[in-house]
Amino acid sequence: MFPGFIQGALVAVIIILAQTTKRIHSEDTVDETHVLSLTKDTFDDAVKNNKHLLVKFVAPWCGHCKALGPAYAAAAKKLVDSGSDIKLASVDATIEQDLAQKYDVKGYPTIKFFSDGTTFEYTGGRAEDDIINWLKKKTGPAAAELKTVDDLNKLKEANEVVVIGAFQDTDGDVAASFLQVAKTVDGIPFGITSNKDVLKELEIKKDTIVLLKKASSNKIRGRLFFYFLEFQFDEGRNDLTSTIDEGSIREFIQANQLPTVVDFNAETAQKIFGGDIKVHVLLFASKKGSDYEKLRGEFQTAAKQYRGKTLFVSIDSDDEENERVLEFFGLKTTDVPAVRLITLKDEMSKFKPESSDITSAVLTTFVDAFFDGKLKPHLLTQELPEDWDKTPVKTLVGTNFHEVATNKKKTVLVTFIAPWCGHCKQLTPIYEQLGEKYKDNQDVVIAKMDATANELEDIKIQSFPTIKLFPKDSDEVIDYQGERTLEALSKFIDSNGQEAGKIPEETAEQTEEADEEADAGHEDL
């Protein structure tokens, strides 16, 4: 997995939770009547007695778990109401620690699927439809056979997006390629047909892959918003009629499953950051602004040229739940409208256009320059505080980092932190003691940097806190892997990085996951 993807996933986590936390606190208690609550005494029987069982391992304090709760419960109810033999269950892993250890639970929520004696990792999305579609695909045919027009209509009505293979012969090579893609694409239901009535309904005259999209409604903060077809999607249907093979089908779905311009919210965040397209152009603008429709029109015109290559995403700066997104890009509401480009390839990088004008021509020039390799990343930095070096723990920002950290006359320890990070807060008193210990040592500098507000081209931070040592008289940079104690950190410094410590792999993974999770439930995320 690329580091850029890891960072992108972390960004998505932060953003989704920032948007869902208020809803978690404001909504009624989730009705989990149809979700089995399992313990070590009931777990084995549940797996034995249910042909297909999806189990989430959760922690009561976990923000991700709380965000998942409503969709998981709704999926469980829908499956029960439909008479499905698929059941959903939940385990409190903080209580049932033996079960958590047995099933290798290292973060929350961990979701496992038990089917016919085999255990699988759940790899689907966390929306109600995503959960159900993933389960149906794993327990049934990759594509539903559409024998009648009624079958077609039911598939369309039940889903936001569907992909249909309409063939003269469902036993041919083209149909085989379609079914192979259907087996491996999660989150979207597939249908297949050669029925003459269905082909006529779809107006099909030759082998065609049809992608259908419909209007949807989403309940957000107690209000119901309807996204009509002309707003949510640019068209209700896309057809692939030539050169149909596995590669072209995948590209076709990737290019058309989302609208030309995607409106950012908690529901679309996962599809944006978790999709195959890793280059995103973001428009930050006020939907209440008098020029919004014009800006969006220019943005959409440019977006059409990069379908399947780049996602164009609109972020409403009026929505207070998007403040975290603006902050991540170093923007304030007074800075909008503004455009940024982010890539999750290899390493996550952000780019800023030279011109503040938002026209299709300026956007096209900007995106082309990125793909031509002509742009340099836009790096965030805070202003250097006047008292940055007046305390035992020095404060670094983007502009003074290299001057201090790579000064070969000193050994410099730098901790990269995030303001919302619970483990960073736990480390603070220990780190301040470390600063006191070395404040009179002319050869050692203890420093910290807020890595969410200051970015470096040559150092990418993927988890918090990250601790690095820049040894005296060396170009080496040594990552600290040990315990976060005064004694262990002191040994790391005194040994010039030779005693970097090593946390057992299992503990390290739990710590990294916990770093996300411990902060997830806090209102100030």
Side-chain angles (χ1 to χ4, degrees):
M1 185 176 291
F2 293 126
F5 179 81
I6 295 171
Q7 284 192 309
L10 178 60
V11 173
V13 164
I14 294 168
I15 293 169
I16 292 170
L17 287 169
Q19 293 198 318
T20 57
T21 298
K22 292 180 182 177
R23 274 177 280 162
I24 290 168
H25 289 294
S26 63
E27 292 179 350
D28 294 334
T29 302
V30 176
D31 180 6
E32 294 193 329
T33 304
H34 302 288
V35 177
L36 305 176
S37 180
L38 303 181
T39 68
K40 64 180 180 180
D41 296 325
T42 60
F43 191 91
D44 290 342
D45 283 343
V47 172
K48 180 181 178 180
N49 296 330
N50 290 284
K51 184 178 177 63
H52 307 296
L53 183 68
L54 187 70
V55 182
K56 61 173 181 173
F57 294 83
V58 300
W61 44 259
C62 163
H64 297 324
C65 303
K66 294 175 183 176
L68 173 63
Y72 196 80
K77 183 178 186 304
K78 183 174 286 188
L79 288 169
V80 169
D81 291 345
S82 69
S84 172
D85 60 358
I86 305 170
K87 304 298 181 184
L88 271 59
S90 180
V91 172
D92 184 337
T94 65
I95 296 174
E96 306 299 335
Q97 296 183 18
D98 290 343
L99 284 175
Q101 184 175 2
K102 179 179 179 179
Y103 291 104
D104 198 30
V105 175
K106 296 177 179 177
Y108 305 110
T110 290
I111 307 176
K112 305 276 187 177
F113 183 50
F114 300 84
S115 180
D116 289 330
T118 304
T119 305
F120 303 90
E121 292 290 338
Y122 176 76
T123 57
R126 295 188 181 181
E128 176 187 342
D129 287 345
D130 292 336
I131 295 169
I132 292 174
N133 289 333
W134 188 91
L135 289 168
K136 286 184 175 179
K137 189 164 291 188
K138 298 304 178 186
T139 57
E145 186 178 358
L146 307 179
K147 298 180 179 180
T148 66
V149 172
D150 188 47
D151 289 342
L152 169 66
N153 290 334
K154 286 180 179 178
L155 183 67
K156 289 163 53 179
E157 291 166 5
N159 300 280
E160 300 287 333
V161 179
V162 298
V163 179
I164 298 169
F167 306 110
Q168 302 299 321
D169 178 10
T170 55
D171 293 324
D173 292 341
V174 175
S177 295
F178 174 79
L179 289 172
Q180 190 59 38
V181 173
K183 289 177 183 177
T184 58
V185 174
D186 292 331
I188 301 176
F190 285 66
I192 187 169
T193 189
S194 60
N195 179 271
K196 292 182 179 180
D197 292 334
V198 177
L199 296 180
K200 182 179 179 181
E201 178 72 14
L202 290 170
E203 300 180 348
I204 297 297
K205 295 183 179 179
K206 63 178 181 177
D207 288 353
T208 303
I209 310 301
V210 181
L211 190 149
L212 299 173
K213 296 167 284 194
K214 71 169 185 177
S216 67
S217 62
N218 293 297
K219 188 177 182 182
I220 302 178
R221 290 174 293 173
R223 292 178 292 170
L224 195 63
F225 292 85
F226 289 93
Y227 298 90
F228 294 103
L229 187 62
E230 62 270 21
F231 180 77
Q232 175 112 5
F233 295 105
D234 313 295
E235 68 290 303
R237 171 173 171 164
N238 301 99
D239 288 2
L240 175 65
T241 57
S242 60
T243 317
I244 302 177
D245 54 33
E246 282 190 42
S248 65
I249 296 171
R250 291 183 194 280
E251 291 177 5
F252 169 71
I253 295 171
Q254 177 177 291
N256 295 289
Q257 64 177 307
L258 292 172
T260 307
V261 174
V262 186
D263 286 288
F264 181 87
N265 55 51
E267 284 70 31
T268 60
Q270 187 171 20
K271 292 181 180 179
I272 293 168
F273 286 96
D276 293 328
I277 300 176
K278 301 303 181 186
V279 179
H280 308 154
V281 181
L282 311 177
L283 170 64
F284 297 88
S286 166
K287 285 189 176 181
K288 298 176 182 177
S290 59
D291 59 347
Y292 177 74
E293 291 302 326
K294 179 181 178 182
L295 292 173
R296 189 181 176 98
E298 295 287 342
F299 196 64
Q300 183 146 339
T301 298
K304 291 177 181 178
Q305 303 176 52
Y306 303 97
R307 203 82 189 253
K309 190 176 181 181
T310 305
L311 286 184
F312 278 64
V313 183
S314 176
I315 300 172
D316 183 9
S317 60
D318 294 327
D319 191 336
E320 63 179 19
E321 294 181 345
N322 287 335
E323 288 179 6
R324 184 66 69 194
V325 194
L326 271 74
E327 180 182 319
F328 179 77
F329 286 90
L331 294 170
K332 299 182 177 66
T333 53
T334 53
D335 297 323
V336 302
V339 169
R340 295 291 185 269
L341 183 151
I342 183 172
T343 175
L344 305 179
K345 292 181 177 180
D346 300 328
E347 296 286 356
M348 184 179 67
S349 299
K350 308 168 192 173
F351 300 85
K352 176 183 177 181
E354 291 184 2
S355 173
S356 60
D357 293 338
I358 301 176
T359 66
S360 58
V362 168
L363 291 166
T364 300
T365 299
F366 175 49
V367 178
D368 284 345
F370 166 76
F371 282 112
D372 292 340
K374 297 178 180 179
L375 298 182
K376 289 186 176 181
H378 174 63
L379 303 174
L380 298 179
T381 183
Q382 294 174 308
E383 291 187 14
L384 182 64
E386 292 183 4
D387 60 348
W388 71 272
D389 61 348
K390 297 298 188 288
T391 59
V393 177
K394 314 307 178 188
T395 300
L396 303 184
V397 297
T399 54
N400 75 331
F401 177 85
H402 288 94
E403 178 185 350
V404 176
T406 61
N407 180 357
K408 293 184 181 181
K409 295 180 180 179
K410 298 179 183 292
T411 291
V412 183
L413 184 74
V414 182
T415 294
F416 298 86
I417 62 173
W420 43 261
C421 163
H423 284 291
C424 301
K425 294 172 183 176
Q426 292 172 12
L427 177 61
T428 297
I430 298 169
Y431 207 66
E432 289 177 349
Q433 291 176 41
L434 192 69
E436 285 288 340
K437 180 175 180 178
Y438 289 94
K439 68 179 181 180
D440 297 324
N441 189 324
Q442 299 301 310
D443 295 323
V444 175
V445 174
I446 308 298
K448 64 180 179 179
M449 188 173 87
D450 179 351
T452 67
N454 299 278
E455 298 171 328
L456 305 168
E457 189 169 0
D458 54 341
I459 297 177
K460 303 298 182 182
I461 304 303
Q462 297 168 23
S463 62
F464 303 105
T466 290
I467 303 174
K468 293 179 180 288
L469 186 75
F470 298 78
K472 181 179 179 180
D473 299 324
S474 173
D475 292 324
E476 191 177 10
V477 181
I478 304 172
D479 287 311
Y480 182 65
Q481 306 287 346
E483 296 179 352
R484 295 166 190 162
T485 65
L486 179 62
E487 180 182 2
L489 287 165
S490 298
K491 285 183 179 180
F492 181 51
I493 296 169
D494 295 340
S495 67
N496 223 25
Q498 296 305 304
E499 294 191 29
K502 185 174 179 61
I503 301 176
E505 183 177 347
E506 181 176 323
T507 304
E509 290 183 13
Q510 287 176 335
T511 302
E512 184 173 339
E513 289 290 335
D515 216 9
E516 281 181 29
E517 303 293 353
D519 301 303
H522 295 315
E523 193 71 49
D524 62 348
L525 176 64

